[in-house]
Amino acid sequence: MAFVQLEGLGKRYGEIDAVVATHLSVEKGEFVSLLGPSGCGKTTTLQMIAGFVEVTSGRIVLDGRDITHAKPASRGLGVVFQSYALFPHMTVKDNVAFGLRMRKVANSELQQRVDRVLKLVRLNQHAERYPRELSGGQRQRVALARALVIEPPVLLLDEPLSNLDANLREEMQFEIRRIQREVGITTLMVTHDQSEALSISDRVVVMQAGRITQIDAPYTLYEHPRTEFISGFVGKANLLPGERDSTGVVQVCNRGDGELTLSLRPEKIDLREKGQGRLQGQIVSRFFLGSQWLYGVSTTLGELCVVRRNDGSAPMNEGTPVGLDWDAALLRVLSVDEVPA
């Protein structure tokens, strides 16, 4: 049996289904991200697991124990909120110790556990500071330490990096993963950031309109999206008309009236000289992304997105006619979205 199981979990508000019959199994020590756009039900799912939102249908099972209707405090889960929710009048050390004091942990053990977790999150030198004296990343780590110090069976992260700037957010992604691996704690994280979910998760759960649409390892999810929604939401994708030839091999239909919808990632397309490749086009836009150039190429199949690695050579100019080529094995057949947008 999985360590955390959601069995037909659902939440209904009047006539609106916020979460519909969700089934999910999470193994002990696994890092799983719930990914999706605003309003897809990911935060509601996390809040039901935490006990902050009442369950309408289904069950939540933790290590073989049904906690569906248990009070939040009795579940013993660690939660890091989007706002961090630190006590401004308490030092870092006292913020981290708060949960242990509420559990009446002996002072000697309390001090040992607080010291240990502050070292884990690399804040032992800031134990006597107040939240206002810390950076955003440091406050985030205080919230993480406070959740971990009670030694919960599961750690729940609700958009923990959304308040940080881009550079710090990327740094903290890997810091969270380092800490999670070192502790070995089962973790569920809610995020709308695709790169965040792909970079640090063991598995990613994509949600749309209250339903789970795909569960896979990050690489599999990116390389083999099931639907048009997932293809476009998890990274960039070119949607192309497709057909199968007489041998059953999938190929792009240059007439534009294919019976299939195919996905082709921008980095899978090669830019060739005019007259070469499978399709002809003209560069209509270009954007410099540091390590990459992002080109918009006008073709008879519409404008396609092409990514080319910045190798130090001069970029291609707008207005340049080009050929486009790709490996047909990299085309992915998409199913029609079954969930309403």
Side-chain angles (χ1 to χ4, degrees), residues 4-143:
V4 179
Q5 286 187 296
L6 309 184
E7 302 175 354
L9 191 66
K11 180 60 185 178
R12 190 174 180 83
Y13 293 101
E15 298 300 315
I16 299 175
D17 287 312
V19 177
V20 182
T22 295
H23 295 270
L24 177 64
S25 295
V26 180
E27 299 300 326
K28 190 168 186 177
E30 193 176 18
F31 193 121
V32 173
S33 290
L34 304 181
L35 173 68
S38 298
C40 72
K42 58 188 186 296
T43 295
T44 301
T45 299
L46 196 80
Q47 290 178 337
M48 285 192 286
I49 297 171
F52 302 145
V53 169
E54 186 177 350
V55 173
T56 302
S57 60
R59 294 201 312 159
I60 304 168
V61 180
L62 172 62
D63 196 17
R65 180 170 65 101
D66 189 336
I67 62 168
T68 309
H69 302 293
K71 298 295 184 182
S74 69
R75 302 184 187 204
L77 306 181
V79 184
V80 177
F81 298 99
Q82 183 175 343
S83 63
Y84 309 148
L86 301 178
F87 298 111
H89 62 288
M90 291 186 183
T91 63
V92 167
K93 181 174 63 178
D94 289 335
N95 263 285
V96 174
F98 181 78
L100 297 178
R101 290 202 169 97
M102 292 297 98
R103 289 164 172 78
K104 304 189 185 304
V105 174
N107 194 57
S108 58
E109 181 185 350
L110 181 147
Q111 294 300 330
Q112 290 178 0
R113 288 168 66 173
V114 169
D115 290 345
R116 185 167 61 247
V117 78
L118 285 179
K119 288 180 182 177
L120 177 69
V121 300
R122 299 171 178 168
L123 285 176
N124 46 307
Q125 300 300 318
H126 302 292
E128 300 300 331
R129 292 190 182 182
Y130 290 89
R132 64 179 178 274
E133 300 173 312
L134 303 176
S135 68
Q138 289 170 334
R139 288 196 293 270
Q140 195 268 351
R141 280 184 281 161
V142 174

Side-chain angles (χ1 to χ4, degrees), residues 301-316:
L301 299 181
E303 185 172 324
L304 303 186
C305 178
V306 180
V307 169
R308 180 182 249 187
R309 184 175 64 87
N310 175 24
D311 58 6
S313 60
M316 305 184 77

Side-chain angles (χ1 to χ4, degrees), residues 145-331:
R146 185 177 60 184
L148 291 172
V149 76
I150 63 173
E151 298 177 355
V154 176
L155 178 65
L156 304 177
L157 306 174
D158 184 10
E159 304 263 11
L161 306 179
S162 60
N163 292 328
L164 305 180
D165 61 50
N167 288 336
L168 187 55
R169 185 184 305 125
E170 182 174 318
E171 177 184 326
M172 288 308 302
Q173 288 175 18
F174 302 112
E175 184 71 359
I176 286 176
R177 185 54 162 159
R178 176 192 68 82
I179 293 168
Q180 187 268 340
R181 281 179 170 166
E182 190 166 333
V183 176
I185 188 171
T186 307
T187 303
L188 281 86
M189 179 177 74
V190 161
T191 181
H192 64 271
D193 188 309
Q194 302 93 325
S195 62
E196 190 173 293
L198 295 176
S199 64
I200 63 176
S201 307
D202 294 312
R203 286 189 300 154
V204 179
V205 178
V206 181
M207 297 189 68
Q208 181 189 8
R211 294 172 171 85
I212 292 176
T213 55
Q214 187 168 348
I215 305 174
D216 264 313
Y219 178 81
T220 304
L221 181 68
Y222 182 81
E223 292 292 337
H224 299 276
R226 292 179 183 169
T227 68
E228 292 183 27
F229 167 77
I230 297 170
S231 178
F233 187 76
V234 182
K236 296 182 182 298
N238 295 296
L239 299 182
L240 302 169
E243 61 186 1
R244 297 185 188 275
D245 63 20
S246 58
T247 64
V249 175
V250 172
Q251 58 186 4
V252 173
C253 178
N254 289 339
R255 301 186 309 276
D257 58 351
E259 59 187 17
L260 304 175
T261 299
L262 307 179
S263 172
L264 184 62
R265 296 294 186 187
E267 69 276 13
K268 312 294 188 186
I269 301 178
D270 295 322
L271 290 176
R272 306 291 191 190
E273 292 185 4
K274 179 183 177 182
Q276 298 181 2
R278 299 170 182 267
L279 185 66
Q280 299 302 300
Q282 184 179 61
I283 294 176
V284 294
S285 63
R286 69 177 189 185
F287 300 94
F288 182 55
L289 304 180
S291 62
Q292 300 173 325
W293 283 93
L294 177 65
Y295 293 99
V297 182
S298 176
T299 76
T300 55
L301 299 181
E303 185 172 324
L304 303 186
C305 178
V306 180
V307 169
R308 180 182 249 187
R309 184 175 64 87
N310 175 24
D311 58 6
S313 60
M316 305 184 77
N317 295 320
E318 295 178 2
T320 302
V322 294
L324 304 179
D325 205 3
W326 54 83
D327 182 347
L330 299 176
L331 296 167

